[in-house]
Amino acid sequence: MTAVNNSVTSTLRLAWASLRILLVLTVVCGVIYPLVVTGIAQGLFHDKANGSEVKVDGKVVGSELIGQSWNTKGTKTPDPKWFQGRPSNSGCDPLATGSSQLGASDPTLVKNVKAALVQDNTTGRTVGFLGEPAVNVLKLNIAVEELTTK
């Protein structure tokens, strides 16, 4: 009978130890670590940690990194005078695509102004040689909106 009691006692002790380890690791890995990483990200990379928000008049209208069809009025339907880039996950289109979209914008814009807008909203290659230059369509649309509503 003693062997059975020792076996049950050992099993209960192991189960209790396992449960304590599970609880400690859940708190450390599921609560403390995410809070520490979030705090560091907010402190060092505040804009990036919040999704690289693009604001117009203090109102969030989109993200630099995520493609979306929001305009500055906060509706999902894009303004027809805005540039219409091809669907992309990044919100940035290849430079050739962005430049070819110039005809889709307000025709009263002078050609040089359009080219300057595209140039101002074009990012270069990553690390100088990776990928292709890209046009940030959201920022380009905001620049066109600001220019045409003045």
Side-chain angles (χ1 to χ4, degrees):
M1 198 64 160
T2 311
V4 171
N5 285 340
N6 285 341
S7 176
V8 169
T9 304
S10 289
T11 302
L12 289 175
R13 262 191 321 198
L14 284 174
W16 177 240
S18 299
L19 182 61
R20 287 186 309 213
I21 289 172
L22 175 68
L23 292 174
V24 167
L25 288 176
T26 299
V27 169
V28 168
C29 296
V31 177
I32 295 172
Y33 177 75
L35 288 175
V36 167
V37 170
T38 301
I40 291 170
Q42 287 292 332
L44 298 177
F45 311 105
H46 183 70
D47 290 338
K48 301 275 187 236
N50 289 326
S52 301
E53 299 170 334
V54 175
K55 295 181 180 182
V56 174
D57 298 329
K59 182 178 178 184
V60 176
V61 295
S63 170
E64 288 182 26
L65 305 174
I66 302 171
Q68 65 275 316
S69 61
W70 295 81
N71 64 28
T72 55
K73 294 170 186 67
T75 60
K76 286 189 176 183
T77 308
D79 193 321
K81 70 178 165 245
W82 285 23
F83 290 81
Q84 298 296 313
R86 65 175 173 72
S88 67
N89 291 331
S90 67
C92 294
D93 290 329
L95 183 55
T97 303
S99 297
S100 68
Q101 298 288 332
L102 289 173
S105 68
D106 189 338
T108 61
L109 291 177
V110 181
K111 185 177 181 179
N112 292 341
V113 173
K114 292 182 202 178
L117 286 174
V118 171
Q119 186 63 34
D120 289 346
N121 293 288
T122 300
T123 59
R125 298 172 187 263
T126 306
V127 193
F129 65 93
L130 297 175
E132 293 294 324
V135 177
N136 187 312
V137 177
L138 176 65
K139 286 187 168 185
L140 181 59
N141 287 338
I142 290 169
V144 170
E145 179 82 9
E146 288 174 356
L147 189 64
T148 58
T149 57
K150 286 184 179 180

